Amino acid sequence: MNQTLLVLQMEQSEIKSMAAAIKYCYKKIIFNQENRLTYTTYLGQILEEQTPKEFLNTFKQLRAFSYGQSDWNWFDINESILVGLSSNNSASFWSWLVCHPNGYVREFALKKLSAESFSNTLPFLLITLNDHVETIRKFAELEINKSVAQENEATILFSLPLIKRLKELEHKENLDVYNRLNTILLNQFDLLEKAQEIKDIYISRYGFELSFRLDEQHKVQVIKNGLKKTDRMILRWTFNEILKEEQWEKEYLSQMLSHPQMIIRKLACEWCYNNRVKEEQMIPKLLDQTAVIKYLALDYVKKQFPDIDCREYYLQHLKDNPINAIHGLAILQDKRDQDRMVPLINSSKKKIRVSVLNWLSCLPIEEQVPIYIECLSDSSRDVRNKAIDQLSTHYSLQIKEQLTLLFKERKETSFQLSIIKILGVESRKDYFFDLVLLYVDASDQLVKDKIEQQLVGWMLSWNRRFFFRFSLKDKVTLAYLMNKNYEEYSVGVLDVLWKVLREK
């Protein structure tokens, strides 16, 4: 959280957002005439501590008009009040008033900003270009050129996403400003390169977007910078730019096939798959850490290198790359690996255990189920979810009997919660009865709360009354269970049962 907001929240706990903090500062400066310099300093710090996206959200909150009660006298600020203020106020004071819902206040603040050579005003001029008052829009448009010429570098960088936004605004004359500002930026490669390195993704992206429009003199450096990023959009742009280079295969293909970012490796593998014959660099991709690349490489190798035994290739790399080699074997699902794969369900590595569960599909269902059930209490959520998915897929009355029996025998929270999820695939009425029966055998309050939540959700389902009716026999059974377990059922469960019994 921003430091200035924390300071103001310590002073006034009702402040919940940056917009509220700004309104509070103006109340202190204008209406209370209290510590004017301190609160004006806060207004400047708020802009410095925000990202462009946060700035836009704050602007929208400040501009929002309401006929309700004004918080911190924000709507009480008007032109006559501002005229009586000292003319020595800083840009920090006038800038945020550009976001005021009163058009006269916005216009007055803009004129004050233009009268002096203030810095940090460009973001406010850019958001004003979409003002619904034409006079204010035109005034901001005239001030843009002067502001860009005198603005500091940090503020220009901050403003890049706001410049990009101009292209999408309602008032089409902003397109001229957009093109004019981009022309200025395209002549400042050093500035764009700094933008590429900024952590804020929206600034960085626009820095690359503009830089890719530069001539060949700068293109190599931009590509080099792009390949260092982790953002998928920037990496995809970079890849597309590389494809435009004449000698790109010779210079970049090997680098991209082994790139640390998955999106670049995937794009390079897809290109090879569609454009290269017998590309030997695709063979090592059989051991790529990303499943989609592994599947692609496996299909490519089978087609282009039919003499290579992929299973044997994975077996050869079990020692030096066990996780990816076992995952490869899991994809192949060869029954010959049963003695090797099944014991690995006890591996200390989660990814290996998940791979074993994927491989199991090649065995008869009666051999799969006991392993899936055992994994319902695994320490890894991924392993548990995989086992839940498989048991849900193969759900049967026999599996249900096994699970309900084990629910009573094994008092493990994760195990019981997993069973509750699996039983959800059966008919709605059966699920309801099962939940009522299982409640008394819940291992702890967490499991009881989950069952109660499911029962309440079942009752509140909008289409329940259209498709599910409890017969007299059903109600007699539920009344018996309620009477038998009255002291063990929670108030919530009893309430659900009473509602069922009262239904006509």
Side-chain angles (χ1 to χ4, degrees):
M1 186 178 288
N2 297 352
Q3 292 300 315
T4 304
L5 182 58
L6 285 172
V7 171
L8 291 170
Q9 283 179 333
M10 291 176 65
E11 182 177 325
Q12 179 52 256
S13 60
E14 293 181 23
I15 295 175
K16 303 298 182 183
S17 66
M18 278 299 188
I22 291 168
K23 294 174 184 179
Y24 177 75
C25 287
Y26 278 111
K27 175 181 172 63
K28 288 292 186 180
I29 296 169
I30 297 175
F31 297 101
N32 293 3
Q33 298 285 311
E34 180 182 330
N35 296 328
R36 292 167 58 92
L37 183 60
T38 300
Y39 289 105
T40 302
T41 302
Y42 287 154
L43 290 174
Q45 291 173 349
I46 286 172
L47 177 62
E48 294 172 2
E49 294 173 357
Q50 287 194 306
T51 65
K53 187 175 182 180
E54 291 169 342
F55 172 75
L56 273 174
N57 289 335
T58 301
F59 159 72
K60 292 174 183 177
Q61 292 170 28
L62 292 174
R63 275 297 306 273
F65 184 78
S66 172
Y67 288 102
Q69 185 177 1
S70 170
D71 51 340
W72 312 119
N73 298 105
W74 178 240
F75 298 143
D76 297 334
I77 300 174
N78 55 46
E79 187 180 8
S80 60
I81 289 176
L82 296 180
V83 169
L85 294 175
S86 169
S87 59
N88 295 326
N89 285 303
S90 66
S92 300
F93 176 82
W94 296 113
S95 294
W96 290 108
L97 291 173
V98 172
C99 308
H100 198 276
N102 187 321
Y104 294 106
V105 172
R106 297 199 301 278
E107 185 176 3
F108 189 88
L110 279 171
K111 289 178 179 178
K112 283 291 185 181
L113 286 174
S114 65
E116 303 287 342
S117 297
F118 288 132
S119 60
N120 296 329
T121 62
L122 182 58
F124 296 94
L125 293 172
L126 289 169
I127 59 173
T128 305
L129 288 173
N130 200 44
D131 199 286
H132 69 280
V133 180
E134 185 178 3
T135 304
I136 297 177
R137 290 201 308 273
K138 296 297 182 183
F139 190 87
E141 185 178 348
L142 292 173
E143 290 298 313
I144 286 286
N145 285 339
K146 184 177 79 172
S147 177
V148 171
Q150 71 185 23
E151 197 59 86
N152 62 68
E153 189 177 82
T155 304
I156 294 177
L157 290 170
F158 178 90
S159 302
L160 288 183
L162 305 177
I163 295 173
K164 177 180 173 62
R165 173 176 171 266
L166 294 178
K167 192 176 181 180
E168 304 166 358
L169 294 182
E170 175 185 353
H171 303 287
K172 298 304 180 185
E173 61 266 26
N174 290 329
L175 190 60
D176 295 333
V177 180
Y178 169 81
N179 291 328
R180 192 161 67 241
L181 292 176
N182 280 344
T183 300
I184 295 172
L185 292 170
L186 287 168
N187 290 319
Q188 302 183 51
F189 178 68
D190 290 344
L191 181 71
L192 293 179
E193 196 168 22
K194 288 179 181 177
Q196 295 166 18
E197 298 304 316
I198 290 179
K199 290 183 179 180
D200 185 276
I201 195 61
Y202 298 103
I203 296 176
S204 182
R205 281 179 181 174
Y206 199 52
F208 276 100
E209 188 177 333
L210 288 176
S211 297
F212 284 131
R213 291 163 55 180
L214 296 173
D215 54 29
E216 296 299 323
Q217 177 184 353
H218 302 294
K219 189 67 68 68
V220 174
Q221 184 59 44
V222 179
I223 288 174
K224 192 177 295 184
N225 294 343
L227 289 173
K228 295 177 183 177
K229 306 302 287 185
T230 58
D231 179 66
R232 290 192 174 192
M233 187 172 290
I234 293 174
L235 289 167
R236 187 175 289 274
W237 291 342
T238 304
F239 180 82
N240 291 336
E241 290 299 319
I242 289 174
L243 290 183
K244 297 176 184 178
E245 300 292 315
E246 290 185 7
Q247 301 295 322
W248 81 269
E249 294 177 57
K250 183 177 180 181
E251 296 181 22
Y252 292 103
L253 184 57
S254 296
Q255 179 184 353
M256 291 194 297
L257 284 170
S258 58
H259 195 276
Q261 294 301 319
M262 180 276 290
I263 184 64
I264 289 289
R265 297 198 311 277
K266 180 174 178 288
L267 289 169
C269 286
E270 287 175 347
W271 186 90
C272 286
Y273 187 91
N274 294 313
N275 298 281
R276 294 295 288 265
V277 176
K278 294 191 178 297
E279 175 54 66
E280 294 186 358
Q281 293 184 88
M282 285 289 285
I283 298 174
K285 296 295 101 184
L286 289 170
L287 292 168
D288 194 275
Q289 61 189 10
T290 304
V292 66
I293 295 176
K294 206 179 273 125
Y295 275 104
L296 190 69
L298 189 60
D299 192 42
Y300 182 87
V301 172
K302 285 180 178 179
K303 290 179 179 178
Q304 300 292 338
F305 301 96
D307 294 337
I308 294 180
D309 184 339
C310 294
R311 176 175 176 269
E312 188 61 34
Y313 183 87
Y314 287 129
L315 292 175
Q316 291 172 2
H317 289 85
L318 279 175
K319 288 186 177 179
D320 59 282
N321 198 343
I323 292 178
N324 291 319
I326 290 169
H327 187 204
L329 291 174
I331 294 173
L332 293 175
Q333 292 188 329
D334 194 313
K335 290 184 179 180
R336 290 176 293 173
D337 295 316
Q338 182 171 0
D339 292 341
R340 179 179 292 103
M341 296 294 284
V342 173
L344 290 174
I345 199 63
N346 298 312
S347 170
S348 60
K349 292 181 170 46
K350 172 192 72 175
K351 290 185 178 180
I352 290 180
R353 300 199 300 277
V354 171
S355 292
V356 173
L357 292 180
N358 285 322
W359 175 86
L360 281 175
S361 298
C362 66
L363 295 181
I365 186 63
E366 59 271 13
E367 295 183 37
Q368 298 177 43
V369 171
I371 300 176
Y372 294 144
I373 291 176
E374 193 60 36
C375 289
L376 292 178
S377 58
D378 195 275
S379 59
S380 166
R381 181 185 299 176
D382 291 341
V383 176
R384 293 198 303 272
N385 287 341
K386 185 65 182 178
I388 290 170
D389 290 342
Q390 293 288 10
L391 287 170
S392 299
T393 300
H394 300 291
Y395 189 79
S396 65
L397 184 59
Q398 184 180 1
I399 290 176
K400 174 184 175 177
E401 291 174 352
Q402 284 183 263
L403 293 177
T404 51
L405 181 62
L406 288 170
F407 187 97
K408 298 175 182 180
E409 294 177 354
R410 297 177 60 170
K411 302 294 185 178
E412 300 171 26
T413 302
S414 62
F415 187 81
Q416 290 191 339
L417 289 174
S418 297
I419 290 177
I420 292 172
K421 286 184 181 180
I422 297 166
L423 293 177
V425 303
E426 63 185 350
S427 71
R428 297 290 303 281
K429 188 178 288 186
D430 288 341
Y431 187 47
F432 183 90
F433 274 93
D434 286 339
L435 291 175
V436 173
L437 286 167
L438 294 176
Y439 186 89
V440 296
D441 294 305
S443 61
D444 55 27
Q445 192 59 44
L446 187 63
V447 179
K448 290 182 178 181
D449 289 344
K450 182 62 177 178
I451 293 176
E452 183 177 331
Q453 178 188 344
Q454 294 294 94
L455 287 171
V456 172
W458 193 98
M459 288 295 295
L460 295 177
S461 177
W462 72 271
N463 62 351
R464 180 184 66 84
R465 290 179 179 271
F466 294 101
F467 300 103
F468 299 101
R469 291 288 182 183
F470 288 96
S471 65
L472 179 60
K473 181 181 178 182
D474 294 332
K475 292 183 179 182
V476 170
T477 302
L478 289 174
Y480 170 76
L481 290 173
M482 186 171 70
N483 182 63
K484 177 184 177 183
N485 303 310
Y486 190 84
E487 294 183 358
E488 297 185 55
Y489 285 149
S490 68
V491 175
V493 173
L494 291 172
D495 183 56
V496 169
L497 295 176
W498 274 119
K499 287 179 180 178
V500 171
L501 295 176
R502 290 170 183 160
E503 284 185 354
K504 294 181 179 180

